[in-house]
Amino acid sequence: MRYPLSFAQEWALSRPAVLSHATWLDGPVDPAALRRAMDVVVARHPVLRTHVTASGEQVVSETGRVVLEHVVLPGDVARAESTAAELAERPFDLSREPLARAAVIEVGAGRWLFALVAHRVVADASTLAMLLADLSTVYRGGLSELPPSWMDYGDYAVWQRERLRGEELARQLAHWREVLRDAPAPVRLPAGHRAASLTAVADPTAVRRLAAVAEGTGATLLAAFLAAYAVVLSRYAGRADVVVGAPVSGRTRVELEPIAGPFADVVPVRVPLAGEPSFAELLVRVRDAAAQAVSHDEVPLGVLVEELGVGLSDAVRFTFPPPATPALDLPGVTVRSRVALSDAATADLDLRVDEHGALTLEHRTDPGFADWVLRSVVAVLEHATADSAVSELPVPAPEDTWSAVVEPSPAEPSPNGAVRSAAAEAAEPEADVSPVPARGEIEQAMAKTWADLLRRPGRVGVRDNLFGLGGGSLAAVRFASIVADTYGVTLPLPLIFASPTVAALAEFVSAELEAARAARDVEADQAARLARLSDDELDDLLRAVVATRERRRSTGGDGR
């Protein structure tokens, strides 16, 4: 079955590629039973049998499997974890299902590492939790089947696109157009680094005090944490207006909760700090902004960017509450610890809090900057009272010089699909401002195609990194489709990501066209030679062919 991509799938194609889950298990695990359970789960959820075409559709196969590998590495914990990491790092070919893989790695008697990896075009965090729950149910009960979902994810994609258009889309956009009028551009964060996390705990007395302040304003303690975060971002950016992304499940109706697939999204929460508010007054603003954002979460962030033409980014987030960590629940088996397999961070700065005052800052930015942000949030929380003037709340002086110059546009994906902040780009040498011109017809056409896809003014140089100019996986899929329609040559998506320049891709296309021409020349030459044979020569040739076939038949295929 063919379906359009959902908006979440389009957005996922330009984000970090995979979701991963890995946990150490102690106890009697039966790999064969777990493999059978995986087959049952895949049969229930069609999205696990889905691939993406070059034309930007999703295709669901009637049958298919997610292979669960059983690897035996006696006593080698380090190698087991590196094997699981390789499972997550191995790229997916979007044009072939499955876009998920799993392994159970045995290192000793009753000691196992279970790993599950899925591309974001077929799963989100809630989907991984759903799959683990289904795996556990089937394994525990020895079931041979599960009841099918009432709706396939592909049907949801059709419904979503039908719903979010015309008058309904205009109605929902009207709210966001007003909320985001004159919204500030995304703030540039310091140069990016590998994903990492920091933790802190606010003073319990301060947490109780803030809980009372929040209750007095009709807000929640989580709103107080977001207010403190906004104060710090405001000081860093030097502006009295900040926009923070708040992750939402994207399952906007209860009927969608049992459907596997990517739904998760981010809604922009705009926090105004102008006018010398007290902390209590800021809490009211945060309360109202967050409630409005969450109640209008049906329009995906990508659609807001495209339809409203505003510079939104999900690089700065506030996650409340932190998502629960899913795990397998197998009889007699204990979950010991979780293993981080990949750079799973989806934002450059993501503050996660709980109601007890525990804070975790996941980040892909300068470690010193991240430490300053977290310490600053804690300082604001521990000094804020209802009557505190927001402008006078203490924020520690930064120990380094960081530029908060705003980005001219949202963060751009890197060649591997991971979002890079503009600050990371600024830390690299500047690109050649004089693009290398196209040298031939194919290069000229392909450069124009990429520029058209990005709606980019000016010339695309043949040696420019195409993903550095903008776009992402979806642009690559569309680019490959146009090349196939124009030249009849299939550009493998892994090649586009590995060699993302017009020069390299045009060379591949030229070589394929030359090989096709050579093959046609050989066929034409053979046809011409046959045409010149006399009838007697054709009879001799036919008898030789028949004799060769007879020899092969009598010798079991050996034609000598």
Side-chain angles (χ1 to χ4, degrees):
M1 293 289 291
R2 289 178 175 266
Y3 303 95
L5 293 174
S6 70
F7 292 116
Q9 286 177 310
E10 286 190 345
W11 193 246
L13 285 173
S14 63
R15 318 319 284 167
V18 300
L19 285 166
S20 61
H21 167 91
T23 47
W24 279 106
L25 307 174
D26 286 355
V29 175
D30 182 344
L34 200 57
R35 189 177 294 118
R36 290 193 296 270
M38 180 67 77
D39 290 341
V40 173
V41 172
V42 172
R44 183 188 194 195
H45 299 293
V47 74
L48 297 177
R49 308 190 301 274
T50 295
H51 68 269
V52 178
T53 68
S55 59
E57 292 180 300
Q58 56 176 316
V59 179
V60 180
S61 299
E62 289 298 320
T63 60
R65 298 186 67 201
V66 171
V67 176
L68 190 148
E69 303 175 42
H70 176 203
V71 182
V72 181
L73 298 171
D76 199 337
V77 171
R79 191 177 169 199
E81 293 189 352
S82 66
T83 298
E86 290 169 5
L87 194 74
E89 293 166 2
R90 191 193 317 158
F92 284 102
D93 181 352
L94 292 174
S95 64
R96 299 178 59 186
E97 78 275 347
L99 298 178
R101 57 177 75 105
V104 58
I105 304 169
E106 183 177 1
V107 298
R111 183 74 165 145
W112 311 80
L113 178 60
F114 173 79
L116 176 63
V117 179
H119 195 287
R120 291 179 186 273
V121 81
V122 298
D124 56 15
S126 295
T127 296
L128 281 192
M130 191 184 308
L131 300 182
L132 291 172
D134 282 354
L135 270 175
S136 302
T137 297
V138 176
Y139 182 97
R140 295 176 72 93
L143 306 179
S144 59
E145 63 179 5
L146 285 171
S149 298
W150 76 273
M151 172 189 276
D152 292 349
Y153 185 82
D155 293 324
Y156 160 76
V158 172
W159 173 83
Q160 183 194 42
R161 288 193 174 272
E162 287 290 329
R163 174 170 172 75
L164 290 181
R165 66 178 188 176
E167 293 182 1
E168 177 60 24
L169 178 60
R171 182 187 68 80
Q172 298 203 39
L173 286 176
H175 165 80
W176 286 111
R177 185 173 286 108
E178 183 62 30
V179 169
L180 299 173
R181 189 183 306 279
D182 301 321
V187 176
R188 173 175 293 183
L189 300 176
H193 288 252
R194 291 185 62 84
S197 63
L198 299 169
T199 59
V201 178
D203 179 73
T205 301
V207 172
R208 288 193 294 271
R209 181 181 67 247
L210 288 176
V213 173
E215 184 178 2
T217 62
T220 65
L221 179 60
L222 296 176
F225 286 122
L226 176 53
Y229 192 34
V231 169
V232 175
L233 293 171
S234 171
R235 297 285 183 88
Y236 166 68
R239 60 169 66 142
D241 191 1
V242 296
V243 179
V244 179
V248 292
S249 73
R251 289 169 167 81
T252 55
R253 287 168 168 74
V254 67
E255 297 91 336
L256 299 177
E257 291 181 0
I259 308 300
F263 290 84
D265 198 13
V266 175
V267 293
V269 179
R270 186 175 182 179
V271 181
L273 295 95
E276 295 292 332
S278 66
F279 192 75
E281 290 168 337
L282 178 60
L283 266 178
V284 173
R285 298 181 187 183
V286 170
R287 178 200 68 193
D288 294 344
Q292 285 292 319
V294 172
S295 65
H296 291 81
D297 64 347
E298 189 171 354
V299 182
L301 184 65
V303 175
L304 291 179
V305 172
E306 182 175 347
E307 294 290 337
L308 301 183
V310 293
L312 292 175
S313 170
D314 62 353
V316 177
R317 293 188 184 182
F318 178 79
T319 301
F320 56 96
T325 301
L328 283 175
D329 181 14
L330 308 182
V333 176
T334 302
V335 177
R336 289 300 181 193
S337 61
R338 185 171 181 179
V339 179
L341 296 186
S342 61
D343 179 351
T346 55
D348 290 337
L349 207 63
D350 185 359
L351 181 64
R352 300 176 173 224
V353 302
D354 67 20
E355 65 275 13
H356 304 297
L359 299 88
T360 299
L361 185 65
E362 296 190 354
H363 68 92
R364 288 195 310 236
T365 185
D366 181 283
F369 174 76
D371 178 70
W372 174 79
V373 169
L374 190 58
R375 286 189 294 110
S376 298
V377 170
V378 172
V380 171
L381 290 171
E382 293 184 346
H383 287 84
T385 65
D387 298 327
S388 298
V390 167
S391 61
E392 296 178 3
L393 287 170
V395 172
E399 299 171 2
D400 202 343
T401 301
W402 297 299
S403 171
V405 178
V406 298
E407 299 174 2
S409 61
E412 296 180 341
S414 64
N416 65 4
V419 174
R420 307 179 66 186
S421 68
E425 301 290 348
E428 300 173 353
E430 291 187 3
D432 185 355
V433 295
S434 301
V436 178
R439 296 161 294 186
E441 182 180 324
I442 293 178
E443 285 189 350
Q444 291 173 358
M446 292 176 73
K448 183 178 184 304
T449 296
W450 196 267
D452 290 345
L453 283 172
L454 300 183
R455 302 175 184 174
R456 178 185 176 87
R459 187 171 58 190
V460 171
V462 297
R463 300 198 185 282
D464 290 346
N465 185 312
L466 299 178
F467 296 101
L469 300 176
S473 299
L474 186 59
V477 168
R478 291 170 174 166
F479 183 72
S481 176
I482 293 171
V483 169
D485 291 342
T486 304
Y487 299 105
V489 173
T490 299
L491 269 178
L493 287 176
L495 174 66
I496 300 177
F497 290 115
S499 304
T501 67
V502 167
L505 300 177
E507 182 180 358
F508 176 86
V509 171
S510 297
E512 291 291 299
L513 292 175
E514 183 59 35
R517 278 194 292 268
R520 288 195 298 271
D521 290 344
V522 170
E523 291 176 0
D525 179 64
Q526 291 174 340
R529 290 170 59 188
L530 286 172
R532 290 195 298 269
L533 294 176
S534 66
D535 290 345
D536 289 341
E537 289 171 325
L538 285 171
D539 287 342
D540 291 341
L541 180 60
L542 180 59
R543 281 192 291 271
V545 170
V546 172
T548 299
R549 286 183 176 176
E550 289 297 327
R551 282 198 302 275
R552 286 178 176 170
R553 190 173 300 157
S554 63
T555 58
D558 187 351
R560 293 174 294 179

